[in-house]
Amino acid sequence: MKRIARHPLTAALLLSGATLANAQTPIPIDALAKVPDIQSVTMSADGKNLVAIVATPGSNNQDTALATWDLDNLDAGSKVTPSGDRMKFIAANAMKANRVLVIGRQEWTGQLGGCGEGSTNGATKTFVSKAYMTDTTQKKFDEAFADNTRKLGVSEEIQRCLEIAGTSALVNTLPLDPDNVIIRQTSGVSLSSNYYLYNLRSGETKLLFKAGGRATPGLFNPRNGELLTKSQLEPIGPGEYEQRILIRNPKTGEFDIHPLLTTKLSERYTVDIAGIDEETGKYYVLTDLWSDRVQAWMYDPVAQKFDNEPLLAHPTFSIGGLIQGTQPGNFNKILGYVVDGPQREVTYVEPQMAAIHAMLKQAFPGQNVGISGYNDGLSRVLFSTSSAQAAPSYHVLLNRKQVVSLGGQRPWIDGKQIGEQRWVNYPARDGLSIPAILDLPAGWKPADGPLPTIIHPHGGPWARDYAGWDGSGWVPFLTSRGYAVLRPQYRGSTDLGRKLWLAGDAQWGEKMQDDKDDGAAWLVKEGIADPKRVAIFGYSYGGFAAAAAAVRPNSPYQCAISGAPVTDLAKIGMSWSDNRLQRILQGNTVKGMDPMQNTAKANIPVLLYVGDRDVRTPAFHARGFFNAIKGTVPAKFELIPDMPHSMPWYPRHQQVTLDLIENFLKTECFAKN
């Protein structure tokens, strides 16, 4: 690992002025495919240790390693442990007591036996993720939060289920407790989740909450781990449930029902208890009960009422979170808040944090500055910088005056190859306003004429895109090759208002699809898109949207690229998720135009690809659709060896899929234009 760079805070301004290469050169596929130099960077709460996942030295960015730094001796460099031959490090976290939590993942092949994601569709190839605990010396790695139920003599079948599905997870770090954290474990007997106080030094556990079929924990007291709130689902009629948030009564110790915090599950209101104000005993609640957007309110559990006005509200976007102090000097105080705008924009209200954040933003102009860790007294602050043109880089601010740069994810990428990014809104055919992210090639001006264009819907669909750096690499890959890219936040997208979200119910392939087509029409009208050179490319739900586009009449697209799609709605329905709440909430909304029932209407070339270890959208969806349309339109199907559904992928997976996309666009989409 190379030694880190130090510079005075004011000198950081010089970093943005470096001479850059020719902006017309496409970003090589390898530049987006290989393992980042550094990622998953965290700092321990005491400010003593840094932990990250880095590219294994000498691997040519083909493999990952765990790295730790002693912040008292940064010039000594980092301690690095490469991944094993099978188990690969994918994430890490600096813990208290000099402990390090690291997540590893490896390929697994065998009968799933009713366990985990993919168990209901007959998948036999998947990945197993494990949490390991080590310390900063990295001499010994033990399975983290080892499951006590192994001592109970559970059957081999149940044990295998636990191995595949994962048995434990970190829930709360309890910042002021020097030894303990809160973890979740899956019981080897009932397969329900139990929540424990876990001692990092001794490995001892204390049961805090035993979850039932309809009961889940809510807010734990960040001081001592006591459970303060819980959520309970209760049936109130055929197919209808009530979601009740119960709050512990400090006088009786019992959990009381609060009618104002009770909602019908089908109405999908957000009621999220985000914290407690220790001075007043009131709770911070993020909710959209009185607005299309989520606002922050104060709720009095004794009087059982909300304040008369919201604590925080934004006229256009939702409040995405509250930032609460984690150090003795600011513990549990509100330091700032997050607005879910085009990017997750942080505003600090605590004076010291606000001053540091403002200073860092001035030092890194045009960059999104995110503070992710700090010690008590703020003499050490971990932060990242990024933009639509620059992948995240990681830095430490020392004594509020010196910046230590740890490195960037992809420093080899020239930001001027990527181009401009805009947050836009366009009208759908029924008048609904659709927000979107528009990325344009570097240097393009309207006088240059309309562009070849990719409509690029996100997955989910209960998700959304954020502006800034595209971690998938798809957007910079395309814009550096001269394409305009529009990412519609179509109806059914979340975190942009209940109206937009609910409007997508049962509209798969119908109004949800109209929103993508209307985005293409808007770009043509604006003079940005060439109507003879428009394609649709999506992954997961976005792959469904691409498959749906291929069988709809009057398509605005010259081709469709469908990655890891669902194509057969009849085969998902209420098996949408292993999570019972997810099945109730989302399964009922997965209705509309079924591409597999309309394959005879295919009218544009289609590329379909999927990984053979994808258990979320198994290969039978893409393969079945390909077999049904290949005699009607030009079609290609590619099964990618050892690729799972979700990133991180192996570098070879990105190499293969980006090459497929590039060649298909050239040979099947726009070859005649």
Side-chain angles (χ1 to χ4, degrees), residues 334-654:
I334 297 296
L335 307 183
Y337 59 91
V338 180
V339 174
D340 263 336
Q343 298 189 72
R344 287 179 61 83
E345 183 179 346
V346 174
T347 298
Y348 285 98
V349 296
E350 193 279 325
Q352 292 189 74
M353 292 293 287
I356 289 174
H357 194 226
M359 180 173 58
L360 294 175
K361 289 197 295 183
Q362 182 180 11
F364 293 88
Q367 300 279 304
N368 181 41
V369 176
I371 295 174
S372 55
Y374 58 91
N375 67 340
D376 200 23
L378 299 172
S379 63
R380 293 172 178 175
V381 177
L382 176 66
F383 68 98
S384 63
T385 57
S386 64
S387 71
Q389 294 77 30
S393 294
Y394 304 94
H395 321 268
V396 180
L397 175 64
L398 298 177
N399 299 315
R400 309 194 192 191
K401 59 185 179 181
Q402 184 184 46
V403 171
V404 174
S405 294
L406 304 172
Q409 287 187 7
R410 301 186 182 275
W412 51 80
I413 290 181
D414 177 356
K416 286 193 175 180
Q417 296 171 285
I418 296 173
E420 178 190 357
Q421 186 175 89
R422 304 174 185 172
W423 181 264
V424 299
N425 288 269
Y426 63 87
R429 64 192 65 181
D430 63 358
L432 185 65
S433 180
I434 306 298
I437 301 170
L438 173 62
D439 288 87
L440 297 167
W444 178 82
K445 303 179 295 296
D448 297 331
L451 292 161
T453 298
I454 311 297
I455 304 301
H456 185 40
H458 61 72
W462 285 5
R464 59 156 291 185
D465 292 309
Y466 287 94
W469 178 254
D470 172 34
S472 72
W474 291 323
V475 173
F477 169 77
L478 292 165
T479 58
S480 73
R481 282 158 174 75
Y483 298 100
V485 179
L486 184 75
R487 287 177 277 175
Q489 307 308 294
Y490 49 84
R491 67 194 72 204
S493 300
T494 55
D495 300 323
L496 289 163
R498 289 184 75 246
K499 180 180 179 180
L500 185 72
W501 182 27
L502 297 176
D505 288 5
Q507 292 296 323
W508 285 50
E510 296 177 347
K511 289 184 179 181
M512 291 170 75
Q513 200 71 24
D514 292 343
D515 294 344
K516 290 95 169 174
D517 296 0
D518 294 344
W522 176 77
L523 287 174
V524 170
K525 182 180 178 182
E526 293 292 309
I528 296 171
D530 180 346
K532 296 182 179 180
R533 294 186 295 167
V534 181
I536 184 169
F537 159 49
Y539 189 87
S540 195
Y541 168 83
F544 163 87
V551 299
R552 278 168 50 109
N554 304 314
S555 173
Y557 312 109
Q558 276 65 62
C559 76
I561 299 175
S562 177
V566 168
T567 62
D568 193 336
L569 296 188
K571 288 188 176 180
I572 51 174
M574 293 304 289
S575 64
W576 177 251
S577 170
D578 288 330
N579 181 279
R580 185 168 182 268
L581 179 60
Q582 187 85 353
R583 289 199 303 272
I584 296 169
L585 276 175
Q586 193 165 10
N588 284 323
T589 72
V590 184
K591 299 173 183 177
M593 190 275 288
D594 191 332
M596 277 303 295
Q597 302 302 314
N598 291 275
T599 53
K601 300 176 184 177
N603 54 74
I604 56 174
V606 183
L607 166 65
L608 299 115
Y609 69 88
V610 63
D612 70 355
R613 292 186 183 275
D614 190 330
V615 297
R616 185 167 303 170
T617 57
F620 67 76
H621 281 283
R623 184 186 287 113
F625 191 76
F626 166 75
N627 288 334
I629 67 169
K630 63 183 179 181
T632 305
V633 295
K636 180 178 177 62
F637 168 73
E638 193 80 19
L639 187 64
I640 314 297
D642 296 323
M643 191 172 86
H645 187 82
S646 301
M647 294 179 175
W649 293 337
Y650 298 148
R652 67 175 185 268
H653 297 150
Q654 281 280 58

Side-chain angles (χ1 to χ4, degrees), residues 195-463:
Y195 293 76
Y196 295 91
L197 196 68
Y198 179 89
N199 189 295
L200 290 168
R201 301 179 192 274
S202 68
E204 296 178 352
T205 58
K206 175 186 176 183
L207 181 65
L208 297 175
F209 183 76
K210 190 176 182 65
R214 297 195 296 265
T216 55
L219 180 69
F220 289 95
N221 188 322
R223 288 189 180 274
N224 57 23
E226 178 187 37
L227 185 64
L228 298 177
T229 73
K230 67 178 182 178
S231 178
Q232 189 84 26
L233 278 180
E234 294 294 341
I236 58 173
E240 182 63 275
Y241 289 79
E242 198 171 67
Q243 178 145 352
R244 302 171 180 172
I245 293 179
L246 291 78
I247 298 178
R248 182 186 291 275
N249 186 319
K251 294 182 178 180
T252 66
E254 299 296 321
F255 283 91
D256 297 334
I257 297 174
H258 289 248
L260 287 180
L261 304 179
T262 298
T263 58
K264 289 184 178 179
L265 197 61
S266 62
E267 294 176 343
R268 302 211 303 270
Y269 282 106
T270 296
V271 183
D272 179 19
I273 296 186
I276 186 170
D277 178 16
E278 294 179 314
E279 291 185 7
T280 64
K282 294 181 179 181
Y283 285 91
Y284 301 110
V285 181
L286 300 178
T287 184
D288 53 9
L289 284 170
W290 301 285
S291 170
D292 185 56
R293 308 300 199 266
V294 172
Q295 302 171 325
W297 287 76
M298 300 294 290
Y299 177 77
D300 186 336
V302 177
Q304 295 202 13
K305 68 176 185 178
F306 285 92
D307 286 358
N308 293 329
E309 299 288 339
L311 175 68
L312 287 168
H314 191 277
T316 308
F317 299 107
S318 290
I319 302 299
L322 302 176
I323 301 171
Q324 295 167 267
T326 58
Q327 293 290 346
N330 61 17
F331 191 76
N332 225 26
K333 296 179 181 178
I334 297 296
L335 307 183
Y337 59 91
V338 180
V339 174
D340 263 336
Q343 298 189 72
R344 287 179 61 83
E345 183 179 346
V346 174
T347 298
Y348 285 98
V349 296
E350 193 279 325
Q352 292 189 74
M353 292 293 287
I356 289 174
H357 194 226
M359 180 173 58
L360 294 175
K361 289 197 295 183
Q362 182 180 11
F364 293 88
Q367 300 279 304
N368 181 41
V369 176
I371 295 174
S372 55
Y374 58 91
N375 67 340
D376 200 23
L378 299 172
S379 63
R380 293 172 178 175
V381 177
L382 176 66
F383 68 98
S384 63
T385 57
S386 64
S387 71
Q389 294 77 30
S393 294
Y394 304 94
H395 321 268
V396 180
L397 175 64
L398 298 177
N399 299 315
R400 309 194 192 191
K401 59 185 179 181
Q402 184 184 46
V403 171
V404 174
S405 294
L406 304 172
Q409 287 187 7
R410 301 186 182 275
W412 51 80
I413 290 181
D414 177 356
K416 286 193 175 180
Q417 296 171 285
I418 296 173
E420 178 190 357
Q421 186 175 89
R422 304 174 185 172
W423 181 264
V424 299
N425 288 269
Y426 63 87
R429 64 192 65 181
D430 63 358
L432 185 65
S433 180
I434 306 298
I437 301 170
L438 173 62
D439 288 87
L440 297 167
W444 178 82
K445 303 179 295 296
D448 297 331
L451 292 161
T453 298
I454 311 297
I455 304 301
H456 185 40
H458 61 72
W462 285 5

Side-chain angles (χ1 to χ4, degrees), residues 34-77:
K34 57 188 180 182
V35 168
D37 267 359
I38 184 170
Q39 58 185 315
S40 189
V41 184
T42 60
M43 184 174 73
S44 60
D46 57 14
K48 293 182 178 180
N49 304 309
L50 283 173
V51 172
I53 299 297
V54 300
T56 301
S59 73
N60 192 29
N61 290 80
Q62 297 298 300
D63 211 346
T64 58
L66 174 67
T68 57
W69 291 262
D70 179 354
L71 275 167
D72 290 327
N73 189 18
L74 273 171
D75 290 334

Side-chain angles (χ1 to χ4, degrees), residues 172-185:
N172 192 305
T173 60
L174 297 179
L176 297 188
D177 189 316
D179 302 319
N180 295 294
V181 295
I182 298 175
I183 65 168
R184 182 184 71 244
Q185 284 185 349

